[in-house]
Amino acid sequence: MNHELDFPAGIWEPFARSRPPVRCSPGYLIYLQDTEATCFYFLKAGKVKSFIQSEDGGSRVLNIYTAGSLFGEAAFFDELPRVSSAVALTPCEIVPIDRELVAQEFARDPELALAMMKYLARTVRLLSGQVDQMAFRPARWRVANYLLTLSPGSGPVSCTQEDIAAAVSASRVTVSRVLNEFARRGWIALGYRTITLLQSEQLKLLCKL
């Protein structure tokens, strides 16, 4: 789920102006599901995964965030416990954004507050779209769409079959079958913990069917 495609590049940079980033190693748990949200985060560098866990230990990937993204903002603004957890996938630099910093930047630039409202509304819209996709779309469509959210163009993306299975609500066996089909068609190349998109236009065409 990428809901920043039509936001100007660097729009959230002001949040990182006055505070140094916190450096995180891969695997670092940034926040936990069901905890209090005293801040949200600007991702200055690296990749972060957000995910939800069920009571039986199952998990589902919600999003993969890249540099320039905000994450963890929903629970911060509605002041309810977090509905997901977040973990660093790569070495990361993150800037915690608390209420003092939000008030400071919104006072300095009211347009930033309007952009934040649009961002939050877009989150709700795209989460609703995800529910629709999971309920009504076939596995091939869901896998192709997820790969495109990681990389709209050609090139390698870092993910495992388990990550994809959790993200698209399918079994690992189903995901493996779909990926092998895409590879046979020459649309992707499979590697160790990576998938290289060779013909992203074919994946986009599949998603339009």
Side-chain angles (χ1 to χ4, degrees), residues 37-49:
T38 57
C39 65
F40 62 108
Y41 298 90
F42 171 73
L43 181 56
K44 190 170 183 179
K47 285 187 179 182
V48 167
K49 175 177 73 175

Side-chain angles (χ1 to χ4, degrees), residues 183-204:
R184 285 195 304 272
R185 293 175 180 268
W187 298 353
I188 64 173
L190 301 176
Y192 177 68
R193 303 183 71 88
T194 63
I195 297 171
T196 302
L197 277 59
L198 302 175
Q199 298 186 36
S200 59
E201 291 305 317
Q202 292 296 330
L203 296 175
K204 292 175 183 177

